[in-house]
């Protein structure tokens, strides 16, 4: 029996651990917004259902227009897809038989998608000693014969955002060598002030941004994401995309999401407050926590050790967390935890206190 590949797979995790899944399970392995979806989504849902009875536009023209308007870019720079993961797989096809650099630890789907397309993969590892920032020295040293760099920013699983000057130097180095920069911003909207790199695309035209509606709007079952890149790159990717990839209900949700600024702002503030509170409390309990800027963080024991016993202990208390056995460089010594609502975080704190006192 293998570890589940992703979070939000409670039955598989329980089977792996030999525990049961209670009715009121608290699943901290899911890193969607605990305050979502916005109320309007539930209110509008019945009217969106009607749209399922008609074909969407084959290339999602109306959705692309809405995304372009919201992001302040041209429609030709946008491609909408069936979740960020479809965009990742689509892009990976552009690098078939080419060489791609990954900054690890990172979202496992980059490797899966690139391997499926027989891309050659190089990696550099961001280190905890360096606050999980990649080393510029390692990055520059790894760029020879590379065609593209794939990375998540903020990073999944560490939750860390990289320094602006570091990013600028990394991007400049890619620009000088005509290397594509694939920057997955699935969680950018959880950062305070929505720090993103979209505005850098004029300076660095090989920049390709991936975004997801899944996380902020808590709609993992709908599948909605998009890509923003140069019109040329969008045309290349579009040729590989199946027709009708964005279903009409997802299209309705995407358009409504762009009207939900106050929901997003309130979510970011509440999550930031809880994240900082949890960090303080967990450090008081003796855990080491990553300096995350989003709605999840990494936790480890001090000194680091394999966390299977802790994962099992929490599972027996009805709390699931994200193991890190399939994140390069983490190898199960860390767990990734979502930031949830106050009372849920308190249940987690009580369980972790029990772990320390056992
Ligand atoms: C960094 C990152 N990118 C993309 C995705 C995929 O998101 P979507 O649900 O839009 O396919 C995930 C999902 O966990 C993710 O963590």
């Amino acid at each position: 029996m293998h570890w589940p590949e992703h979070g939000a797979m409670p039955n598989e995790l329980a089977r792996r651990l030999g525990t049961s899944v209670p009715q009121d399970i608290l699943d901290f392995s899911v890193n969607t917004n605990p305050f979502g979806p916005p109320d309007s989504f539930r209110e509008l849902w019945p009217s969106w259902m009607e749209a399922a009875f008609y074909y969407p536009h084959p290339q999602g023209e109306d959705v692309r227009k809405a995304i372009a308007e919201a992001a302040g870019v041209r429609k030709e720079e946008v491609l909408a897809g069936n979740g960020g993961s479809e965009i990742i797989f689509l892009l990976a096809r552009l690098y078939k038989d080419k060489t791609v650099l990954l900054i690890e630890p990172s979202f496992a789907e980059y490797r899966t998608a690139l391997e499926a397309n027989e891309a050659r993969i190089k990696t550099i590892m961001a280190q905890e000693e360096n606050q999980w920032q990649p080393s510029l020295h390692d990055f520059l040293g790894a760029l020879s014969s590379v065609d593209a760099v794939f990375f998540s920013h903020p990073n999944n699983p560490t939750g860390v955002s990289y320094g602006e000057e570091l990013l600028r130097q990394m991007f400049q180095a890619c620009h000088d060598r005509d290397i594509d920069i694939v920057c997955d911003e699935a969680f950018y909207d959880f950062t305070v002030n929505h720090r993103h790199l979209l505005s850098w695309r004029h300076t660095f035209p090989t920049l390709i941004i991936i975004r997801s509606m899944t996380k902020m709007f808590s709609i993992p079952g709908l599948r909605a994401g998009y890509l923003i890149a140069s019109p040329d790159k969008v045309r290349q990717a579009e040729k590989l995309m199946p027709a009708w990839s964005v279903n009409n209900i997802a299209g309705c949700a995407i358009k409504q999401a762009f009207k939900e600024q106050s929901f997003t702002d309130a979510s970011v503030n509440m999550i930031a407050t809880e994240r900082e509170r949890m960090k303080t409390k967990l450090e008081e309990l003796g855990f080491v926590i990553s300096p995350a800027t989003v709605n999840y963080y990494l936790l480890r024991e001090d000194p680091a050790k394999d966390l299977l016993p802790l994962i099992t202990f929490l599972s027996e208390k009805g709390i699931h967390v994200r193991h890190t056995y399939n994140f390069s460089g983490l190898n199960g010594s860390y767990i990734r935890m979502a930031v949830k609502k106050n009372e849920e975080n308190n249940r987690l704190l009580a369980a972790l206190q029990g772990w320390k006192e056992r």
Side-chain angles (χ1 to χ4, degrees):
M1 165 67 77
H2 297 295
W3 286 99
E5 287 165 44
H6 294 284
M9 299 175 77
N11 294 324
E12 283 78 354
L13 184 66
R15 213 172 305 138
R16 172 70 174 80
L17 299 172
T19 54
S20 58
V21 184
Q23 282 287 309
D24 62 341
I25 180 181
L26 262 184
D27 196 348
F28 281 83
S29 75
V30 186
N31 53 4
T32 53
N33 183 352
F35 300 101
D39 291 342
S40 67
F41 279 40
R42 289 189 199 282
E43 285 152 21
L44 292 166
W45 186 252
S47 62
W48 293 351
M49 277 302 293
E50 184 64 24
F53 306 132
Y54 305 94
Y55 267 100
H57 184 281
Q59 283 80 37
E61 281 299 295
D62 51 327
V63 180
R64 288 163 85 163
K65 189 162 166 281
I67 295 167
E69 274 169 22
V73 303
R74 288 179 293 141
K75 191 161 65 69
E76 299 69 40
E77 296 175 283
V78 175
L79 188 63
N82 196 253
S85 45
E86 184 182 52
I87 304 278
I88 291 166
F89 268 75
L90 209 66
L91 286 175
R93 289 179 65 188
L94 299 181
Y95 304 105
K96 186 167 169 51
D97 297 325
K98 297 196 170 173
T99 305
V100 177
L101 176 65
L102 299 180
I103 303 175
E104 304 255 48
S106 200
F107 187 43
E109 292 293 292
Y110 307 146
R111 180 178 286 277
T112 307
L114 290 162
E115 281 176 354
N117 287 287
E118 285 147 37
R120 284 176 295 277
I121 298 177
K122 290 171 95 173
T123 54
I124 59 164
M125 300 298 300
Q127 306 289 345
E128 188 184 36
E129 300 81 81
N130 199 20
Q131 301 291 298
W132 296 110
Q133 306 278 318
S135 136
L136 183 62
H137 177 267
D138 292 354
F139 184 78
L140 297 179
L143 283 186
S144 69
S145 68
V146 160
D147 299 289
V149 176
F150 273 52
F151 74 114
S152 50
H153 189 260
N155 176 274
N156 180 12
T158 64
V160 164
S161 296
Y162 301 154
E164 183 158 338
E165 191 45 37
L166 170 65
L167 285 167
R168 203 173 287 283
Q169 295 189 50
M170 286 164 52
F171 282 26
Q172 187 64 50
C174 291
H175 180 66
D176 295 345
R177 295 161 177 78
D178 202 23
I179 295 172
D180 287 347
I181 310 162
V182 179
C183 176
D184 180 353
E185 293 193 330
F187 294 94
Y188 88 99
D189 40 5
F190 286 95
T191 61
V192 174
N193 299 328
H194 290 188
R195 185 172 164 230
H196 63 75
L197 300 171
L198 183 60
S199 59
W200 289 21
R201 75 193 191 290
H202 299 302
T203 318
F204 305 112
T206 61
L207 177 58
I208 300 167
I209 300 273
I210 303 172
R211 289 188 179 165
S212 167
M213 312 305 282
T214 295
K215 311 296 178 174
M216 175 54 74
F217 299 98
S218 283
I219 47 171
L222 262 186
R223 316 307 305 138
Y226 57 94
L227 152 75
I228 301 180
S230 68
D232 182 43
K233 198 57 87 181
V234 168
R235 272 192 299 274
Q236 287 177 40
E238 189 179 357
K239 283 190 196 142
L240 303 172
M241 178 158 264
W244 311 292
S245 217
V246 183
N247 70 73
N248 278 339
I249 303 178
C252 291
I254 291 175
K255 290 176 204 164
Q256 180 61 24
F258 294 132
K259 299 179 186 159
E260 291 289 348
Q261 195 57 49
S262 53
F263 163 83
T264 310
D265 290 345
S267 300
V268 170
N269 289 336
M270 290 187 287
I271 288 167
T273 305
E274 277 301 295
R275 183 182 61 237
E276 295 315 310
R277 182 178 79 90
M278 289 300 283
K279 184 166 165 41
T280 306
K281 298 268 186 204
L282 292 169
E283 284 174 350
E284 279 167 17
L285 286 176
F287 293 106
V288 176
I289 307 299
S290 64
T293 60
V294 287
N295 59 324
Y296 55 89
Y297 52 87
L298 283 181
L299 170 148
R300 71 161 168 85
E301 291 273 29
D302 189 14
K305 52 172 80 103
D306 183 88
L307 293 185
L308 175 58
L310 174 57
I311 296 174
T312 311
F313 176 88
L314 290 172
S315 178
E316 281 162 355
K317 302 227 158 341
I319 294 177
H320 277 191
V321 296
R322 176 65 162 91
H323 72 85
T324 57
Y325 290 102
N326 65 340
F327 283 111
S328 284
L330 302 186
N331 307 324
S333 298
Y334 297 79
I335 46 183
R336 194 194 65 200
M337 221 90 88
V339 179
K340 290 192 178 281
K341 292 179 178 166
N342 183 276
E343 60 277 23
E344 297 165 328
N345 293 330
N346 284 345
R347 248 183 85 185
L348 173 65
L349 277 175
L352 288 171
Q353 184 145 11
W355 165 255
K356 287 289 182 183
E357 289 167 0
R358 77 200 181 287

